[in-house]
């Protein structure tokens, strides 16, 4: 089954989506963002998109735009819907929205253990430019973050 056959809808997140987005994040992450984190991002005007399939919210992305740069802060897709293209479409929307608002580069951090995300970013032409030691909380202490960027020009 492909995303195209499922008639995905993408739209900016609204406050009514907060509970579902926070619940989805909690299903995906051992150390999730809180509902308050998403609300704060919404209030400060971050670029936040949701993916709906058959009316069900199954994915989200959060990006911060600052002058001529963008930073992907969070992205997630329900495990039951991974591999259908929702994450790729959300990432495309982040990149396009950032371009439209004058960003020439997009940055992100990703756990080295998140091989699926690393593969997605590399597929889209992101390159590793650094490493943040002990950046993420982990069940056995801390995990490093790979720093990636992509030229949007």
């Amino acid at each position: 089954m492909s995303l195209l056959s499922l008639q995905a809808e993408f739209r900016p997140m609204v406050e009514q989506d907060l509970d579902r987005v926070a619940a989805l994040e909690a299903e995906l992450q051992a150390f999730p963002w809180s509902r308050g984190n998403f609300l704060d991002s919404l209030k400060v005007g971050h670029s936040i998109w949701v993916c709906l399939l058959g009316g069900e919210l199954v994915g989200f992305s959060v990006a911060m735009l600052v002058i001529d740069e963008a930073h992907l802060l969070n992205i997630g897709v329900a495990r039951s819907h991974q591999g259908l293209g929702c994450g790729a479409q959300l990432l495309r929307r982040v990149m396009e929205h950032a371009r439209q608002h004058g960003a020439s580069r997009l940055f992100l951090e990703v756990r080295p253990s998140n091989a699926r995300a690393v593969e997605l970013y590399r597929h889209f032409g992101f390159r590793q430019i650094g490493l943040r030691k002990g950046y993420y909380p982990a069940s056995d202490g801390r995990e490093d973050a790979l720093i990636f960027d992509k030229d949007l020009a």
Side-chain angles (χ1 to χ4, degrees), residues 36-147:
N37 294 132
F38 286 104
L39 178 60
D40 290 345
S41 287
L42 193 60
K43 284 181 177 178
V44 298
H46 289 161
S47 174
I48 310 175
W49 290 89
V50 293
C51 172
L52 298 104
L53 293 174
E56 178 187 1
L57 194 152
V58 298
F60 63 87
S61 64
V62 181
M64 176 176 62
L65 306 172
V66 181
I67 306 173
D68 63 346
E69 295 179 353
H71 194 119
L72 181 63
L73 301 175
N74 200 339
I75 188 168
V77 175
R79 284 189 178 89
S80 60
H81 290 79
Q82 290 178 1
L84 300 177
C86 184
Q89 288 294 327
L90 284 165
L91 188 55
R92 282 188 188 98
R93 289 187 183 274
V94 167
M95 292 186 296
E96 184 57 33
H97 187 77
R99 254 189 233 104
Q100 290 173 351
H101 287 83
S104 59
R105 289 177 76 189
L106 176 60
F107 296 90
L108 61 88
E109 291 89 17
V110 61
R111 292 174 185 267
S113 63
N114 191 345
R116 194 171 207 164
V118 170
E119 181 182 330
L120 175 69
Y121 300 138
R122 288 199 168 128
H123 173 78
F124 275 90
F126 283 82
R127 62 190 176 100
Q128 184 179 342
I129 59 168
L131 179 76
R132 295 191 201 280
K133 290 286 200 185
Y135 185 76
Y136 291 110
S139 58
D140 59 349
R142 305 291 297 178
E143 183 176 359
D144 297 341
L146 306 176
I147 305 168

